[in-house]
Amino acid sequence: MIMQMQPSRAARATQRLLLAAVAAFVVSSPAAAQVDLSGEWGVRFHEDNPERGTGPDLGEYYGIPLSDAARWRGEAWNGAVMTEAEWQCRPHGADYIWRGPSALMISRKIDPTSRDVTEFNLEWLRSIERPVYLDDRPAPSPNAPHTWAGFSKAKWVGDMLMVQTTHLKESYLRRNGLPRSDKATLTEYLIRNNDVLTAVALMHDPVYLTETFIRTTDYELDLKQHIPPYPCHVVEEIDRPAGQVPHNPMNSDRSQEEFAAKWKIPIDQVRGGARTMYLPGAPVSPAKGQTGASTRPGVPIDLTGTWMAVVSEDWRWRMMTPPKGDFASVPLNTEGQKVLAAWDPARDAGAGQQCKAYGAPAVMRRPGQIRISWADERTMKLETEAGNQARNFLFGAEPAPAGGASLQGVSRANWQTPGRPARGAAPPPGGSLRVVTTNLSEGYLRKNGVPYSAGARLTEYYNRIDDPDGASWLIVTTVVEDPAYLTGRFITSSHFRRMVDDNPWTPAPCTAN
C-alpha cells in the first residue's frame, strides 16, 4: 500500500501564493491584439509592375522626395555595376525587399508560458532572413555592425504590427541607382485584413530624402505556396581591369531628358523631389500632432478631416492618362481587353460619361485631396477633389437609398476592432473601417479605359497611422472583384497624408482623358 503524503500547511500556503501571483500576472498582462501574420503570402504586382519586374527606366525619379545628393548619386550610377562579383548575390535591403518580385513567408516564435508572439521571421526568395523582435531585448550600440536586414523591434498598435528598424547597410530606393544611406531608419506597419496583407513602409533618411518616403505593398494568403531554396553563384560576366568600377562621369548622364521625352512628362517632374508626390500646384500643409482617437461613441478611430493623396507608386498611371491599350499591373481578361481596345474619350465626353474613371473602384487612386466627415449619426461622407465626387458610407441595417446603379454605388460600412485582450484587461484601442460597395454602374479602373463592369464588387479597408514623427497617414486597401473583366482580385493600397483642415479645397470636374 502506497501512502500519499499530504503537503504541509507551509507548502499549501506557498502554492496559494504562486497561484495568486500567476492570476495577477494574467490579469495585469498588457492588452495585445496578437494577430496571426504567419503563413505563405503571394505577392501581387498590381502596383508598379514594370518597376518591380524588369526594373525602372534610367532617370525615372518622380514620386520620391529625394535630395540633390541622391539625384547626383543616381546620375553617376551605371547598371554594369550589377555584374561586379560583390553585387551579384547582394540581397535587397529590408526596405526595398517589399517591392521585389518575391513571395513572402512569415513564421513566428511563441512564448510557451504567456503564449505571446515574441518574434516574427520574414523571408523572401532571393533574400535574407529578417527577424522582428517583440520582446524586451535592448537595441545594439549605434556603432554595431549594420546589415541588409537591420535590427527590428516591434509592438502592437491595435491590430497593426508596428516595426521600427535601425542598423541598415546602405542600399537603394529604386533599382536605377537612387541610393538610401546607412543613417536611414525604417518604420513599418503590417496590416492583415482577412487574407490580404498590406505592408506600409515609411523611410526616413536624413542624407538622401527631404521628407518621409512612403510605399505600400499588398499580398494574398496562399495556402499552396512554398518558397524554394535559391542558391546564388558568382560568375565572371564581364572581363574588365582589376579595380575598375562602372560609373557615369559627372554631368554626362542624359537619361532624365530621354525619359521625359519618351513619356512626354515635364523634366521637373521626372527629376523627382517632394513636390512630385502631390498634384502639381496643390497647396500642401501637413498637420502635425493629430491623434487618431475618436470621441464619438462606438467609433474606434477618427478618420475625419482633410487628407492629401501621396503618389509614390503607379505615378505614370495616376498622375497622367496612360497610353491607349496600357493595362500594366491590372489582371485584365480577354473580354476586358476588348473593351479597353474600344476606348474613345471623345465618345465618352459626347455622351456625358466623362466621369467613368471617377467611380468608387478608381476615385481613391486619383491625385488630390479627400475630405471625410459625418453627415449624420449613421452616415460617413467622403468627398474628393478629383471629379468633385461624394461617397456615403452607411452604417447599420437601414434600407439603402432608392435608385439604380451609380458610379459610387451603395456602400455598407462597419468597424473592425482589435482582437480579444488578455483576461481582465481593457480592450486595446484602435481598429479599422471595412466598406463594401455594390450596385455600381460600369466604369474605368484607369483613365485610359481599363474597365470594370456593372457587376463589380468593391471591398475597402481604412486604417489610420499616427507615425512617431508626428505625421498622420490614412491607408486605404482596395479589393476589386469583377468576374466579367478581371482574371482575379485587383488589389491596390493608397496612402494619404493628414492636412490642416483649412488647407484650400479646390474640387475639379471630371475629364474624359
Side-chain angles (χ1 to χ4, degrees):
M1 182 175 180
I2 301 176
M3 301 291 293
Q4 292 187 347
M5 301 296 293
Q6 296 295 322
S8 66
R9 181 178 300 176
R12 290 196 298 269
T14 300
Q15 290 176 350
R16 286 194 296 270
L17 288 173
L18 288 172
L19 290 173
V22 170
F25 170 78
V26 170
V27 171
S28 63
S29 294
Q34 296 287 306
V35 174
D36 185 8
L37 301 176
S38 64
E40 296 272 356
W41 297 94
V43 65
R44 296 297 171 257
F45 296 98
H46 299 165
E47 295 173 327
D48 287 340
N49 186 319
E51 175 182 333
R52 296 164 65 186
T54 56
D57 283 348
L58 294 174
E60 186 179 354
Y61 298 163
Y62 48 50
I64 298 180
L66 54 89
S67 65
D68 288 339
R71 190 178 297 107
W72 295 331
R73 281 283 301 272
E75 292 172 356
W77 184 80
N78 188 310
V81 74
M82 303 299 290
T83 65
E84 293 280 277
E86 294 84 357
W87 279 77
Q88 291 180 29
C89 291
R90 177 176 176 171
H92 294 312
D95 52 316
Y96 186 86
I97 185 59
W98 293 108
R99 310 304 288 175
S102 304
L104 167 65
M105 179 177 66
I106 302 180
S107 56
R108 61 179 181 171
K109 291 184 179 179
I110 299 177
D111 184 275
T113 302
S114 68
R115 310 306 300 170
D116 288 337
V117 177
T118 59
E119 179 183 328
F120 283 110
N121 191 74
L122 285 60
E123 187 174 2
W124 292 261
L125 185 66
R126 296 183 291 272
S127 184
I128 36 77
E129 291 188 5
R130 183 184 168 201
V132 174
Y133 304 111
L134 283 81
D135 55 21
D136 57 357
R137 72 184 62 201
S141 162
N143 298 321
H146 289 38
T147 65
W148 306 117
F151 176 78
S152 298
K153 288 289 294 285
K155 66 177 181 180
W156 293 105
V157 179
D159 269 354
M160 302 182 293
L161 185 69
M162 173 185 170
V163 184
Q164 293 185 297
T165 302
T166 58
H167 294 77
L168 289 165
K169 273 182 177 286
E170 181 183 274
S171 187
Y172 37 80
L173 294 170
R174 187 171 274 174
R175 283 184 293 141
N176 59 358
L178 287 183
R180 190 263 297 147
S181 81
D182 59 1
K183 292 181 171 57
T185 58
L186 175 65
T187 303
E188 298 155 298
Y189 292 83
L190 305 187
I191 307 169
R192 178 171 181 171
N193 292 303
N194 297 322
D195 61 348
V196 175
L197 177 70
T198 298
V200 184
L202 299 159
M203 174 55 62
H204 312 275
D205 187 345
V207 179
Y208 294 130
L209 296 175
T210 61
E211 62 179 68
T212 302
F213 178 43
I214 180 172
R215 284 186 287 208
T216 51
T217 309
D218 301 299
Y219 297 78
E220 278 188 285
L221 189 64
D222 189 341
L223 299 180
K224 297 182 179 181
Q225 176 177 278
H226 174 70
I227 298 180
Y230 188 80
C232 182
H233 304 286
V234 176
V235 298
E236 186 173 342
E237 296 186 15
I238 296 178
D239 184 18
R240 61 170 60 92
Q244 184 185 86
V245 178
H247 67 284
N248 292 324
M250 184 70 73
N251 297 323
S252 68
D253 183 62
R254 294 291 177 265
S255 58
Q256 293 173 53
E257 289 88 343
E258 294 170 1
F259 181 81
K262 175 183 176 181
W263 296 104
K264 298 180 175 59
I265 304 173
I267 186 63
D268 63 323
Q269 296 287 302
V270 170
R271 287 174 60 80
R275 285 297 316 182
T276 65
M277 300 190 300
Y278 308 103
L279 188 68
V284 180
S285 301
K288 288 284 188 178
Q290 300 288 325
T291 175
S294 176
T295 58
R296 295 176 65 92
V299 177
I301 55 172
D302 182 16
L303 300 179
T304 62
T306 303
W307 304 84
M308 176 71 79
V310 179
V311 184
S312 55
E313 302 165 346
D314 271 355
W315 197 98
R316 276 197 294 112
W317 295 267
R318 297 173 63 185
M319 285 292 199
M320 53 192 292
T321 301
K324 184 174 181 176
D326 182 353
F327 62 96
S329 304
V330 183
L332 205 61
N333 65 18
T334 303
E335 288 303 312
Q337 293 175 41
K338 292 178 181 178
V339 176
L340 173 62
W343 173 66
D344 184 347
R347 183 182 61 207
D348 285 343
Q353 295 184 325
Q354 62 268 29
C355 288
K356 291 182 71 173
Y358 298 81
V363 73
M364 302 302 285
R365 300 293 283 171
R366 305 305 306 154
Q369 295 182 113
I370 64 172
R371 188 163 58 191
I372 301 177
S373 60
W374 286 96
D376 56 48
E377 290 298 317
R378 291 188 172 273
T379 307
M380 178 179 282
K381 186 176 183 179
L382 188 153
E383 303 167 273
T384 71
E385 284 187 323
N388 196 20
Q389 299 294 302
R391 304 178 61 191
N392 290 316
F393 300 162
L394 308 177
F395 293 79
E398 287 80 1
S406 66
L407 281 173
Q408 304 309 329
V410 175
S411 298
R412 296 288 188 179
N414 66 283
W415 297 105
Q416 297 188 315
T417 53
R420 291 177 58 186
R423 185 174 60 184
S432 63
L433 178 67
R434 180 176 183 265
V435 180
V436 177
T437 302
T438 55
N439 208 31
L440 289 160
S441 58
E442 63 181 18
Y444 300 144
L445 294 170
R446 288 182 179 159
K447 289 204 71 177
N448 65 337
V450 178
Y452 62 85
S453 75
R457 175 187 173 92
L458 170 67
T459 304
E460 298 166 289
Y461 300 92
Y462 290 72
N463 287 273
R464 174 169 175 158
I465 288 172
D466 295 302
D467 200 39
D469 71 353
S472 293
W473 301 87
L474 177 66
I475 310 299
V476 183
T477 302
T478 300
V479 182
V480 180
E481 299 170 275
D482 184 7
Y485 295 145
L486 299 178
T487 60
R489 297 194 295 179
F490 179 48
I491 305 173
T492 56
S493 46
S494 307
H495 31 266
F496 302 79
R497 189 167 182 174
R498 182 76 157 81
M499 297 289 110
V500 295
D501 289 335
D502 59 353
N503 206 49
W505 181 258
T506 55
C510 302
T511 58
N513 57 9

